[in-house]
Structures are given as structure tokens and as C-alpha cells.
């Protein structure tokens, strides 16, 4: 993953982006880690460090968050930039994909497995997978059925009650 | 119990119909995912973790172990045919294996890889039978300070032997250790970093973290790639190597077996390091090193043997010391822990059927793999027709449903999503998830051992260096840190000697691989330009 900015990458896109835009952006990762580390240092101090003879609950988290803060601080300064991947137009797809997963969980909690699984398969097969409608619907229906049988009937997983259960149960 | 009785007991466990079925399933799944690019052994094992909870512990590890070494066989196929490593350890095989395929010798390349893997795996199992019991006996005498040293050594070696920046890996290890402290303090019962969330009192669920980082993170990351790889249509002929092939590669197989075994036992060892080391060794030993990279059969036989040998011997530190030497073994360690089985020196005594059962299953599994790989290689090649989009959609759904099923908790689904985002960002920014997960798994062991050591010594840190074994291990760590400063440059030189474009993806799975093939316009690749719409997958060649 660290070499993808080298010549091995197809020169089709990203060359412009790679130039200046993410050169500043790439510092964000260690900065975030640094902030996280500092917050953890403060948090573990609040938990109570105790003594080495009688370690408190915060001592160990304190030690490891110091390590995190230290390494992150050094990375802010000397982070080698070459192992960063450039941001591409594909990033938008990814954010859409992540949002869709969040929506899936919400749907899952309210409507149960069958509806949410079917919708998610349709979305992922059609939009992200680029399948034809025929393949998408076939796979989504079949896939949902197989998954339902596998998890609910075979493994006995108690998914939240959903529309289908309401119909069957009613 | 002596080893002989142990082996007999192991076979009596491994030969039950259920366990035979799961060995077979394991090696089959392993081969398949080895073939499918983008879904490496780590991601697959992470995805399958929830299913293992419904199984007996011994059956669960038999399955997961089968996936691990099975993927070592399967990864070879795409490396040879498409120059596209199905998993990281097979990257080296692309150098000479693909050249052999271009010369029409794909059959012998795959054949010798399967035979070498079988021999390497078997040698490793024998070594394991001999080495593991005395090592466990030694480890029984370990106290908390030794465990502190051992866990730190494990984490350190994983960060040092990883492929990315050592500092970044260390940073991730620290993050993993920190995340492991979330939940109730094991000694005082204080809630730490839970922010009042009851679901966090038992800590972050290991399965959810692993599935997020490796499963979702990986799949999400692959969304950015829109190139497709066309399936190989040509038939593979003459898979059984000639007598000359055997003569040429017998030395490489022998050396690869031993080298792989030794590297696998070391923390941080495992597939990638051993196959690289074997390749370097064969090239150095060769009378005519210039043949390497142009289709030398030793360059396939040695590394393929070594990676399978090491993936077997990597179980030694897990089963005898309770220290997973690499990420895949960390996942297996976590799977065991969820079943309330602590891998460690007591395992041989307390749960002999697990210890010996797994070993016996490896003997059987390697035979199955040989049988699967030699005559059935053509069927696995058909797997390449499965489109990445379909794979991603189903893998995600299985992940989400699977993680829910572990604790019947929707909270864990959000944990998966959050760690999926983190995993993807880590891939984008060159941080490796491996050290994080390993440190996360080892974190609670390390903290407990550290605190016990402090109580033992009355708060004196000297305890870690004055006891001979832990002192020795810390000295060894100091040595690693010094030596690595020198060898990191040399390692780059080794990488540099082979085609530099090939070694870009010494990562757990190789998501960038087909992009690379496409970029170089290799004959096996249907290179298409980036089109975010994803419409490229409907090219006729795909159907």
C-alpha cells in the first residue's frame, strides 16, 4: 500500500490531486492521533494513576497513551509522505458506501433483516457493483433468502422483529 | 503425555466426521479466498469469526487454521497466472511464476508450488510435534515479568517486520493497547473510557474491531478501484512437473521448509517474510542468479514451500506461549478467547484434544490441499469470474449480520462501521491495521502481567531485567531495534533487486494488485480506465 504513489500507479488520474492538495492533508492523520493521544493522557490521569507499588486504573492507559502521543508527535514532524494514497474521485463512492452502511444499520434496527438486507444488496450490486437490473434483483432476492435461512433458521440468530416477521407472525 | 500418544489422540479428534468436514471446508475456503484477489486470509478469517462461535473450540481452530494455510496454496494460482498475488505471501511468486506461465509452463509452476507447499507444511508439522511440548514445559515456569517481555517482544517484532513505516506501526500498536483498556478495569472495576455507555463496559468487542478493520475497511477500500481483471481462459496443461523440474527445485524445497519453519516460529514471522527470505536465499545460492525473474522454478518452489511451512509453525508460539506471532494468529487467538479457552503453556495439559487435534488436522488438511490443487486447479481458476462487486455486497452483508449474531447487539454493528472507516483511512494514510489488532488482543494480557509484576516487585521496574528470561528477551529487543536500523536499508536493497513495481503490495491482501496489472498492460488484464460509474464490469469478457 505504501508504494501506490510510485510508477506502479496508472497515470490516469490523481496526478493533479497528488501535487499540492494532499501534501498538507496528509498531516491530518498524525495530528488526529496526537489529539486522541493527548485526550487519552488527560483521561487516564483523571482515572487515577496510583503508585507503581499499587497501580491505579489509569496507570496503564496513561503509559500507553504517552506512547501513542509520543509516536504521533514524531509522525507529525517526520511522517514519510510516500505511503499516502492520493484522494481520488472514487472517494465519493466510498463515502456513499459508508453512509449506506449506516442507513442499513438504522433500517435493520427498525424494519428487521429482510427489508434492509434486500435494499442494501440492491444498492451495492446495482450502484457500486454495476450489475444489470436482472442480476441485481435476482441476486438480491436469492441472497436475502439464503442469508435469512442461514442466520435465522439455521443459526437461530434473534434479529430484531421486522416487517416480514410481523406479516408471518400476524 | 508423550508426543506419540498425543498424536494418536489428535488423529482420533481430527478424524471425526465433523472435524474432517471442517478441515475440508477450511482448506477449500482458504484456497478460494487465496484465488480471489482483494479478500485475503485476514479479512476472510475476520468475516468468519462469528460462525466459529457455534462450533466446538477444536473444530473452530481446525477451520480457521485450514483457511490460513489453504490461502497459502490458493494465493499461488493468481500470482502465476495473472501476476496478481491473491494474498501477500505470494507476491514473490509473481516474479518467476508469472514468467513461467508466459513461457507456457504455468502447469509445472502450480504443480511444484503445491508439492513444495505440501512438503513444507508436513515438515513444519513434524517440527511442531517435536518443539511444541518442550517449549510449553519451559513456558509453564514463566511469571508475569516474562509475559510482559514476551508480549512486548511480539508486538515489537510485528511492528518491525511489517512492511510499512516502523514508527507508524508502533503508533498503531499504542493505539491498539489503548483501545484494549476500554471497559471495566480488571482489578479495581473502575469504568475506563466508556463515556457512560453500558455496551462498552465489557470493552470493545474484538470480533467487531477485527471485522471492521480488516473486513469492512478492506471492502470499502476496494471500492475505489474500478479496474477489472479478465478471467484466464487458456487451459492449464501438464501440471505434474518433469523430473528435471523436481531435480532443480528439490534443494529449494528443502531449504524453504527449514527456513519457513524457523521464521514462522519467530514472533512477527509468517507468510510474507518467509517467502521473501527464501527467494533472496535461492537467488543468492544460485549458480546463475540472472535466471531469477525470468522463470526459474526454484524461485517458485522455495518461497511457496517457505510460506506454507511458516504458516504452520506460526501456531507454535500461539499454542505453547499464548502469544500470536502475527495478525492471522491473533484472530485465531481471539476466537479461542471468545470460547473461554486461553491459548498458552497450559493448553497441552488442559486441552490436549485441541492442541493435538489441530496438529493432526494440519496433516490431513495438507493432504487435502495437495489433492485439491493438483487435479482441480482448473476449477479454482473459474473463481476468477466472480465479480468483485458481488463479492463486496455479500461480504458486507455477512459481516453485518455476523457481527450482530455474536452478542445479538446492534451496538457492535456500529463498532464495525466505525472501525471500517478507521481501517479505510489507515489504508489511505499508510498505517497498518495489523499491529493495532495484535496489540488490541495482547493488551489485556500485557496490562495484567505488568500490574502483577509491579505488585510482585513492590513497584520496582528492575524486575524486568534482573530475571534471566525476561532480561534476555529485553536484551534481544534492544538488539532488534539496533539491528533493524541497519537492515531496514538492506531490506530495501533486497526489494530493489527485484522489479520494484512488484513489491508494492506486501500487504495482507493486495488491493492494488489489479490496478498494477492494468497499468502495465499485461496480457491477462483487461485494463480499463477509471470510471466511477462502475459500468466497466459489464464488459462481455466478464460474462
Amino acid at each position: 500500500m505504501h508504494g501506490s504513489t510510485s510508477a506502479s500507479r496508472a497515470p490516469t488520474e490523481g496526478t493533479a490531486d497528488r501535487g499540492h492538495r494532499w501534501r498538507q492533508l496528509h498531516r491530518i492523520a498524525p495530528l488526529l492521533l496526537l489529539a486522541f493521544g493527548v485526550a487519552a493522557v488527560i483521561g487516564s490521569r483523571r482515572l487515577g494513576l496510583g503508585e507503581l507499588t499499587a497501580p491505579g486504573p489509569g496507570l496503564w492507559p496513561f503509559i500507553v497513551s504517552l506512547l501513542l502521543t509520543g509516536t504521533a508527535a514524531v509522525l507529525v514532524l517526520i511522517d514519510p509522505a510516500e505511503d499516502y494514497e492520493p484522494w481520488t474521485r472514487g472517494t465519493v463512492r466510498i463515502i456513499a458506501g459508508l453512509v449506506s452502511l449506516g442507513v442499513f444499520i438504522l433500517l435493520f434496527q427498525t424494519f428487521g433483516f429482510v427489508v434492509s438486507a434486500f435494499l442494501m444488496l440492491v444498492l451495492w450490486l446495482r450502484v457500486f457493483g454495476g450489475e444489470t437490473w436482472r442480476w441485481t434483483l435476482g441476486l438480491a432476492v436469492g441472497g436475502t433468502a439464503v442469508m435469512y435461512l442461514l442466520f435465522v433458521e439455521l443459526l437461530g440468530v434473534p434479529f430484531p422483529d421486522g416487517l416480514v416477521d410481523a406479516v408471518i407472525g400476524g | 503425555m508423550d508426543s506419540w500418544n498425543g498424536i494418536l489422540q489428535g488423529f482420533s479428534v481430527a478424524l471425526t466426521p465433523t472435524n474432517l468436514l471442517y478441515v475440508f471446508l477450511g482448506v477449500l475456503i482458504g484456497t478460494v479466498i487465496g484465488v480471489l484477489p482483494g479478500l485475503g486470509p485476514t479479512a476472510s478469517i475476520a468475516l468468519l469469526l462469528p460462525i466459529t462461535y457455534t462450533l466446538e473450540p477444536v473444530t473452530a481452530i481446525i477451520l480457521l487454521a485450514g483457511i490460513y494455510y489453504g490461502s497459502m496454496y490458493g494465493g499461488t494460482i493468481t500470482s502465476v497466472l495473472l501476476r496478481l498475488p491473491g494474498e501477500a505471501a505470494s507476491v514473490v511468486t509473481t516474479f518467476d511464476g508469472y514468467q513461467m506461465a508466459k513461457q507456457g509452463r504455468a502447469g509445472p509452476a502450480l504443480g511444484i508450488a503445491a508439492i513444495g507447499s505440501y512438503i513444507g507444511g508436513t515438515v513444519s508439522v513434524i517440527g511442531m510435534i517435536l518443539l511444541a511440548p518442550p517449549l510449553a514445559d519451559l513456558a509453564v515456569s514463566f511469571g508475569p515479568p516474562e509475559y510482559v517481555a514476551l508480549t512486548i517482544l511480539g508486538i515489537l517484532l510485528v511492528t518491525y517486520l511489517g512492511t510499512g513505516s516502523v514508527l507508524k506501526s508502533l503508533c498503531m500498536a499504542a493505539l491498539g493497547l489503548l483501545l484494549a483498556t476500554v471497559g471495566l478495569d480488571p482489578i479495581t472495576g473502575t469504568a475506563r473510557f466508556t463515556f457512560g455507555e453500558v455496551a462498552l463496559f465489557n470493552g470493545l468487542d474484538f470480533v467487531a474491531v477485527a471485522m471492521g478493520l480488516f473486513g469492512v475497511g478492506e471492502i470499502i477500500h476496494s471500492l475505489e478501484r474500478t479496474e477489472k481483471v479478465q478471467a484466464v481462459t487458456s487451459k492449464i496443461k501438464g501440471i505434474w512437473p518433469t523430473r528435471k523440474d523436481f531435480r532443480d527445485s528439490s534443494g529449494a524445497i528443502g531449504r524453504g521448509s527449514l527456513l519457513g519453519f524457523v521464521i514462522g516460529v519467530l514472533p512477527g514471522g509468517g507468510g510474507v517474510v518467509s517467502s521473501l527470505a527464501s527467494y533472496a536465499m535461492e537467488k543468492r545460492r544460485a549458480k546463475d542468479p540472472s535466471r531469477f525473474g525470468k522463470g526459474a522454478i526454484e524461485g517458485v518452489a522455495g518461497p511457496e514451500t517457505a510460506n506454507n511451512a511458516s504458516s504452520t509453525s506460526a501456531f507454535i508460539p500461539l499454542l505453547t506461549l499464548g502469544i500470536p506471532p502475527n495478525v492471522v494468529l491473533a484472530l485465531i487467538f481471539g476466537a479461542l478467547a471468545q470460547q473461554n479457552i486461553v491459548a498458552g503453556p497450559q493448553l497441552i495439559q488442559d486441552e490436549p484434544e485441541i492442541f493435538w487435534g489441530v496438529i493432526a488436522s494440519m496433516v490431513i488438511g495438507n493432504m487435502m490441499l495437495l489433492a485439491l490443487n493438483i487435479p482441480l486447479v482448473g476449477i479454482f481458476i473459474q473463481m476468477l469470474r466472480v465479480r468483485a462487486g458481488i463479492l463486496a455486497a455479500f461480504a458486507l452483508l455477512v459481516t453485518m449480520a455476523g457481527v450482530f449474531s455474536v452478542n445479538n447487539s446492534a451496538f457492535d454493528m456500529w463498532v464495525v462501521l466505525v472501525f471500517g472507516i478507521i481501517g479505510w483511512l489507515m489504508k489511505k494514510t499508510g498505517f497498518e491495521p495489523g499491529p493495532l489488532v495484535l496489540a488490541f488482543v495482547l493488551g489485556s494480557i500485557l496490562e495484567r502481567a505488568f500490574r502483577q509484576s509491579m505488585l510482585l516487585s513492590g513497584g520496582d521496574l528492575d524486575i524486568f531485567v534482573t530475571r534471566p528470561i525476561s532480561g534476555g528477551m529485553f536484551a534481544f529487543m534492544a538488539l532488534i531495534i539496533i539491528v533493524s536500523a541497519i537492515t531496514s536499508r538492506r531490506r530495501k536493497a533486497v526489494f530493489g533487486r527485484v522489479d520494484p513495481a512488484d513489491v508494492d503490495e506486501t500487504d495482507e491482501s493486495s488491493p492494488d494488485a489489479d490496478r498494477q496489472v492494468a497499468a502495465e498492460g499485461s496480457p491477462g488484464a483487461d485494463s480499463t480506465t477509471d470510471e466511477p460509474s462502475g459500468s466497466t464490469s459489464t464488459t462481455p469478457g466478464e460474462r
Side-chain angles (χ1 to χ4, degrees), chain A residues 9-101:
Chain A
R9 200 180 146 72
T12 42
E13 69 169 309
T15 26
D17 304 28
R18 229 181 291 161
H20 57 278
R21 193 138 57 90
W22 63 278
R23 201 167 284 164
Q24 290 106 38
L25 264 178
H26 84 264
R27 302 265 174 225
I28 288 178
L31 274 175
L32 274 176
L33 285 166
L34 183 65
F36 193 69
V38 171
V41 168
I42 298 167
S44 23
R45 282 192 62 115
R46 278 204 200 122
L47 285 170
L49 299 185
E51 299 288 324
L52 275 183
T53 41
L59 181 68
W60 178 252
F62 182 71
I63 296 172
V64 294
S65 49
L66 276 187
L67 181 64
L68 176 63
T69 313
T71 47
V74 180
L75 281 175
V76 172
L77 300 173
I78 63 145
D79 190 13
E82 69 263 21
D83 54 7
Y84 281 78
E85 284 184 19
W87 303 94
T88 62
R89 278 176 296 159
T91 310
V92 181
R93 282 160 60 85
I94 290 195
I95 291 165
L98 290 171
V99 171
S100 79
L101 280 182

Side-chain angles (χ1 to χ4, degrees), chain B residues 19-177:
Chain B
N19 288 339
L20 270 181
L21 175 70
Y22 278 96
V23 183
F24 180 72
L25 276 180
V27 298
L28 185 69
I29 296 172
T31 310
V32 169
I33 56 136
V35 172
L36 295 172
L39 203 61
T42 323
S44 315
I45 289 179
L47 296 184
L48 289 176
L49 278 176
I51 293 165
T52 62
Y53 299 144
T54 55
L55 304 174
E56 289 287 306
V58 62
T59 312
I61 326 187
I62 285 176
L63 174 73
L64 296 178
I67 296 176
Y68 183 36
Y69 57 78
S71 70
M72 296 290 152
Y73 281 75
T76 314
I77 298 174
T78 45
S79 300
V80 169
L81 295 179
L82 296 176
R83 202 189 189 195
L84 210 160
E87 39 80 43
S90 297
V91 170
V92 194
T93 311
T94 59
F95 305 159
D96 282 288
Y98 182 65
Q99 291 302 323
M100 284 182 74
K102 266 168 102 176
Q103 295 157 14
R105 294 189 4 100
L110 291 172
I112 204 77
I115 293 163
S117 295
Y118 174 72
I119 295 170
T122 309
V123 167
S124 234
V125 170
I126 295 169
M128 193 165 167
I129 293 169
L130 296 176
L131 186 67
L135 200 61
D137 285 344
L138 175 74
V140 170
S141 64
F142 282 11
E146 281 75 28
Y147 270 93
V148 171
L150 206 55
T151 13
I152 297 182
L153 179 67
I155 295 171
L156 199 70
L157 282 176
V158 166
T159 61
Y160 270 90
L161 295 176
T163 47
S165 141
V166 170
L167 199 61
K168 284 183 156 180
S169 295
L170 267 182
C171 189
M172 284 301 105
L175 184 61
L177 290 174

